[in-house]
């Protein structure tokens, strides 16, 4: 499946040059309901769920992708107000899990033996978000963290056959020369297309700027 990770231009260029992607931690995501999309009206359950979130966050990270780069909201929220870049990867479908968008918090389900959140519930919560996030059209790649490879508190996943960079989309307001980005991906084993995007004229959408993309190729 072709999926897209949007970020600021500086981080995207670093990712391209070093051939890796930063792994997100749950505690750093912008949704405070990550792993807490459950009805905690009864305070006796709150400690157990917060402990579970901390335990999962300690050893598991995620890379978040969108199925499309054409929604202007994701550029505004994740790519520094349209000045950033979308990196398009080919990732095996079996490794990606789609996010479920829900209107209501889930009901409490505890393991009868441990008194902790059940595995079924936890496996659901790691990919549950409020319905208003639906515009992201998100899928997730879950990864175990290797604490021996941490860099200044951050973790990275190298490009591989399961994470192949195949497309680079420069945001509508990205000021990086497209020729410079093409040079960075010129020596990749598999071809990587680089395109310039623009705001659509007739609908709320981000589209390819074919003139800008073609002009550099013909120069």
């Amino acid at each position: 499946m072709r999926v897209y990770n949007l970020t600021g231009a500086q981080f995207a260029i670093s990712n391209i040059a070093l051939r890796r992607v930063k792994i997100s931690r749950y505690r750093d995501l912008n949704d405070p309901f990550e792993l807490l999309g459950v009805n905690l009206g009864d305070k006796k359950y709150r400690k157990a769920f917060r402990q579970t979130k901390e335990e999962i966050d300690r050893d598991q990270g995620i890379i978040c992708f969108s199925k499309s780069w054409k929604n202007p909201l994701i550029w505004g929220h994740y790519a520094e107000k349209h000045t950033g870049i979308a990196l398009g990867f080919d990732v095996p479908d079996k490794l990606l899990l789609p996010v479920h968008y829900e209107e209501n918090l889930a009901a409490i389900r505890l393991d009868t033996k441990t008194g902790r959140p059940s595995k079924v519930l936890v496996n659901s919560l790691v990919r549950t978000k409020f319905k208003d996030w639906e515009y992201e059209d998100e899928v997730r790649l879950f990864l175990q963290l290797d604490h021996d490879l941490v860099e200044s508190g951050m973790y990275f996943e190298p490009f591989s056959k399961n994470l192949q960079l195949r497309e680079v989309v420069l945001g509508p307001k990205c000021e990086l020369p497209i020729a410079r980005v093409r040079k960075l991906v010129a020596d990749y084993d598999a071809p990587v297309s680089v395109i310039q995007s623009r705001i659509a004229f007739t609908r709320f959408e981000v589209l390819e700027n074919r003139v800008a993309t073609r002009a550099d190729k013909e120069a």
Side-chain angles (χ1 to χ4, degrees):
M1 181 188 300
R2 179 67 56 83
V3 291
Y4 299 87
N5 180 266
L6 283 82
T7 187
Q10 178 181 355
F11 297 112
I13 292 301
S14 176
N15 289 341
I16 294 170
L18 298 177
R19 305 191 184 200
R20 66 184 190 181
V21 177
K22 182 176 178 290
I23 301 172
S24 297
R25 307 292 296 279
Y26 288 98
R27 61 173 176 259
D28 297 328
L29 297 176
N30 57 4
D31 182 2
F33 281 96
E34 291 287 352
L35 288 172
L36 292 175
V38 65
N39 190 328
L40 296 175
D42 190 332
K43 63 174 63 176
K44 69 182 179 181
Y45 297 121
R46 296 174 191 173
K47 182 178 180 180
F49 274 87
R50 292 196 173 105
Q51 286 179 338
T52 298
K53 180 175 181 176
E54 292 173 0
E55 291 169 1
I56 294 174
D57 182 66
R58 184 170 58 245
D59 295 316
Q60 179 178 280
I62 59 176
I63 301 177
C64 303
F65 301 98
S66 292
K67 292 181 183 178
S68 171
W69 54 265
K70 295 187 176 182
N71 189 314
L73 271 178
I74 59 175
W75 286 96
H77 291 168
Y78 297 103
E80 295 183 346
K81 301 177 181 179
H82 297 251
T83 66
I85 292 175
L87 299 178
F89 294 92
D90 282 350
V91 182
D93 291 8
K94 64 182 180 180
L95 299 181
L96 296 170
L97 290 176
V99 168
H100 298 154
Y101 300 98
E102 305 291 345
E103 292 188 6
N104 301 303
L105 297 171
I108 294 287
R109 292 198 299 274
L110 299 181
D111 187 290
T112 55
K113 294 182 180 179
T114 65
R116 302 293 295 276
S118 68
K119 288 185 178 180
V120 172
L121 178 57
V122 170
N123 288 338
S124 175
L125 291 180
V126 296
R127 53 189 180 121
T128 295
K129 298 186 76 169
F130 178 45
K131 186 175 176 59
D132 283 12
W133 293 98
E134 199 166 15
Y135 73 90
E136 295 178 341
D137 200 11
E138 183 181 347
V139 293
R140 292 180 164 183
L141 174 63
F142 295 91
L143 299 162
Q144 289 300 116
L145 300 176
D146 186 340
H147 299 301
D148 292 330
L149 299 178
V150 63
E151 297 180 26
S152 300
M154 295 181 289
Y155 298 81
F156 298 90
E157 180 68 9
F159 294 174
S160 66
K161 65 179 182 180
N162 290 328
L163 186 65
Q164 293 187 357
L165 180 67
R166 299 304 304 276
E167 192 174 354
V168 178
V169 184
L170 306 184
K173 296 182 180 180
C174 182
E175 296 182 350
L176 287 173
I178 192 171
R180 174 187 168 192
V181 181
R182 286 196 168 120
K183 287 182 180 179
L184 285 176
V185 300
D187 62 346
Y188 272 57
D189 293 335
V192 180
S193 64
V194 182
I195 69 172
Q196 177 67 55
S197 67
R198 65 170 175 85
I199 298 298
F201 300 127
T202 60
R203 57 188 180 277
F204 291 110
E205 195 170 47
V206 177
L207 300 173
E208 178 182 358
N209 185 333
R210 295 180 179 176
V211 174
T213 299
R214 186 172 60 249
D216 176 72
K217 291 180 177 179
E218 296 174 350

